[in-house]
Amino acid sequence: MKTDYLIIGAGPAGINAVEGIRYFDKRGKITVVTSESIGGYSKPMISYYLAGKAGKEDMFMRPREFYGKHKVQLLLNREVVSLSAPGKKAVLADASAVHFKKLLIASGGRPVVPPVEGVEKIRGGFFTFTTAADAEGLIRYAEKNKVKNAVVLGGGLIGLKCTEGLLGRGIKVSVVELADRVLSNTFDSRASSILERNLKNAGCQVYKKDTVKKAKTDSSGALEKICLKSGKIIPAKLLIAAVGVAPAIGFLKNSGVKTGRGVIVDEYLKTNADGIYAAGDAAECGDFLSGGNSVLAIWPAAARTGRIAGINMTSRRKIKYEGGFIMNSVEIAGVPTISFGLSAAAPPGSEVLEKYVPEKNEYRKIVLSENRIVGAIFVGNIERAGIFSGIIRDRLDVSGFKDKLLNDDFGLLILPEDYRKRKIKTPEISVFN
Amino acid sequence: MAKGKNYSQFLVGRDDGRCVKCQACVRVCSNEVHSYDGKTDSIRSDSSKCVGCHFCEEICPTEAISIERNKSQLRKNANWTQDAVYNIVRQAKSGGMLLTGMGSDKNFKNYFDRIVLNASQVTNPSMDPLREPMELKTFIGSKPERVAVDRPGKLMKQLEIATPIMFSAMSFGSISLNACKSLAKAAADFGTFWNTGEGGLHRDLERYSSNAIVQVASGRFGVNSEYLEKAAAVEIKIGQGAKPGIGGHLPGEKVSAEISRTRMIPEGTDAISPAPHHDIYSIEDLKQLVFALKEATLYKKPVGVKISAVNNVAPIASGIVRAGADFVVIDGIRGGTGAAPLVTRDNVGIPIELAVAVVDERLRQEGIRHKASVIAAGGFRSSADVIKAVALGADAVYIGTAALVSLGCHLCQKCYTGKCNWGIATQDEALTKRLNPETGARQAYNLLRAWSMEIKELLGGMGINAIESLRGNRDNLRGIDLDENELKILGIKHAGQ
Amino acid sequence: MKDKKRKKGRRIIIREDYCIGCRICEVYCITQHSQSKDIIKAYKFEEGLPESGIFFEQQGTVSFAIQCRHCEDAPCLYGCPTGALYRDKKTGRVLFDGRKCVGCWMCIMMCPYGVIKADIKNSKVASKCDLCIDGEFPACVEHCPNEAIILVDDRGVKIEKE
């Protein structure tokens, strides 16, 4: 099979790449392949699907006509198993080959499965939680087996969102986390404590500094109970492993494309191979705060890198990716939270500003380095938090109004007048929405 | 009674059927008349604080507010009016002089309202300004003795204005910078002049300096060589119609950083303009100052003198013209001010209609009318007032009150409090921003444009196509309900004659 | 001379130097998005008035109200996982479809102007300016008493209501 543009992955990076390509190239043939049975849906939506708050149709990030409108050939259930960069050829699981002129690797991430004793014996009840199929499987299993208790291994973002989904189905959840707090990548202990308290009120137990040692099944192989390292035994019919995600780039072995933790790209999102680009969770792109490259597995970065890579692939423009920094928005047990940048632990030499009002479930923290904001956490009150993303991105010197950063009425009027007026006057740079 | 309430002339009416409690009125009133009570979810209005500026009424999105006259009445008394009584009540409380703003509101006979204009009927046919050219162009300055052809003559510098209307002296300090910007831009765009008053020339107004007449007043604020160099003309201010015989006083707390810089006085100090110029005690002294300024400006700019219209205004004007002034400004009793004692404003001076008539007549009699332009000022309310003043002898008029009304002023007369809700007579940042100089300039320009069109219409009606032909042309006026003496002073006949 | 109505690329400019803090812009934004679109009927008789799409701020004597800038390269569009926020190709506006919103708050995280409001209780975005798509002219521009909010076309030329 031949195509002009081959896109591996139908997630946000892939979908935005389609839009990027079509902005300049209305005729070139675009083929999107995905190993899943549905394409173009939003992975953040699977927890809402699990909770029953969204239907299957609601998970899609673009309307149904998207592929037809943009003249895209979407091939489902097609996993890419190997690639030849010099040959410009991708080989699928059914041994068929796709010849391309340009390629975008947007294959996303694969869940990391931790070593748990007895896991290999489980015939039903063990899941990871990164795809719609996972959510569907969970729902079916939970309904069929009238599951009342579940254990979620990993108190990170995916683990907690899965927990929310399960709680939404009336299932009691025990979260097991290795660190001393949940969301340890992005939250400090104060922020986490607010969430942990609210999770408890919602019927969820949180076990910290602990992990799952052994999974016990019944005679049919169905999961029955979980043994933690601390010795605690939890009866549970569901075990969900959510300890992390790694770039899904196994198929790039011996392909000629250089990889590190993810696919290594330059500031134009191009790999070392001619005509081959990478974006999203699979790629190692520019890190705005550190200056180097890193895998930044968050939705907005995937969307943006996908869009820019798509445009650059047409060769009609050459746009630099300005680099991303970690940012997350997640509501747990009814408490909305937003975090940016270096928010969990303050780097050495940095200044930290905090406002902690636990009785209101509110916490605000700003991390400053050389008078510039490099990290922030908002728990409870997320109003206007986005202004901080702009301040971080513009590397604004905040020394003139540091004392007002935590104000309840923090807004644009606290920023310096000329900065604010410029920001409001200038239209954003057009990148083809 | 030891502590009676303050009497206010106004009653704030609120139509609860229309009020949606958006609280815009609460937010905008600088006198804190309106307040919102959360517990009862209602808005209350304290009429005793209302000054009748109507800002809340005009901003209310549902027209729910109506500012009306306080219906509280004293027993009818032709001599002891309500004002007379309550003025004493205020003084009994304060022990001080009563201050006021804007022009006198007393019921002096308004001669403009008793003068009518002629129109052509059969002979000297009337003209349609929309179809035939009408010349409103006016030159302010000293004119030569006679028109000399093929002989070298000296012509003093003239100010060319597109219409016989200019903006009167209102200093930055008495009004806001936004108000000054509005008037300066409107004047520059229309082709006429504005006047800095005794506030100096603010750097944001320098771009309009080629349309600026700068004042040299008794305090000499802001006067340096740059000031004179940038100006189009210089005006020595001896007096002002609203407060003849006294100086001016801007309290220290109003002398902000900007005002301090523009007036060149220390910040926070009172800006006192003394009653007389302390170097002018005779007409010879005035002549010296006139020529000192002419020397300083290399004889390239008209130098004029502004006086209040007082009892012997005609000989005073004559003396000023002989002292070398290129223009004389006569400011009548109805002229406005930012702050003046109430007694002075309402009792000192004479109306401009009479003053301009006698000054024009006197200068003609002495054969020196050509030596200086006569500019009339003091309460012109319409283009009809303007054209009548020209017919009585003025070369041009200054408008002050009318200009501020075009910017939003509603003549509440509380300018001296510095709390002008319209952003005009205040330096409070929160208030001055209410006068958007873009829209202000547009409105003031529209005023000039509208009045100029009306003047053309009236001229055309008289069969005249140049304002020059109406100047001092008393025969085009007739008086109504004026006695013989008044007609004689004005130099006009009675209607029917 | 052809005078095409330049609807695309219209932008609202706000000038804090002229904002007098009356907040009438909010009143009219709400009215324009109410059922009756009549200010008295809406405020006195309607249940469940929408939130204002324009955000008012005040610090001392400085105030202004800001609404969605309808950025050409809108960060919020990169954040929305459901497509509830989308670009209207014809007019270039960024619009919001409440039916698709699940309250993930990514848009609030992404918007550098902070002009999207969250309705935490109902897990949906409460409001976002839509440039008064139902009417001819943005209500805030039409009713600002001091022209602190004006509408300009894609050349930056001020547009008046006809």
Side-chain angles (χ1 to χ4, degrees), chain A residues 149-183:
Chain A
N149 291 289
V151 168
V152 172
L153 176 56
L157 237 105
I158 295 179
L160 290 189
K161 283 314 277 181
C162 180
T163 302
E164 286 263 294
L166 294 168
L167 289 172
R169 297 198 83 81
I171 296 174
K172 278 212 162 82
V173 181
S174 303
V175 174
V176 184
E177 166 59 46
L178 197 61
D180 62 350
R181 57 186 195 277
V182 298
L183 290 173

Side-chain angles (χ1 to χ4, degrees), chain A residues 42 45 61 299 303-304 327-329 331 384 386-387 409 411-413 420-421 423-424 428-430 433, chain C residues 16-17 55 57 59 62 64 71-74 78-79 81-82 87 104-106 108-114:
Chain A
S42 304
M45 288 299 291
M61 66 178 108
W299 176 277
R304 189 144 176 90
M327 51 170 95
N328 281 303
S329 165
E331 186 173 306
R384 318 210 72 197
I387 297 179
D409 64 349
L412 295 168
L413 281 184
R420 166 178 71 245
K421 283 186 172 171
K423 213 160 164 71
I424 292 173
E428 300 293 305
I429 301 165
S430 170
N433 259 334
Chain C
E16 61 184 65
D17 294 333
F55 240 101
E57 280 193 43
Q59 295 288 336
V62 185
F64 77 169
C71 305
E72 279 178 39
D73 188 20
Y78 288 108
T82 63
R87 170 89 59 192
C104 71
W105 317 131
M106 297 267 262
I108 293 185
M109 175 178 81
M110 305 289 291
C111 177
Y113 303 101

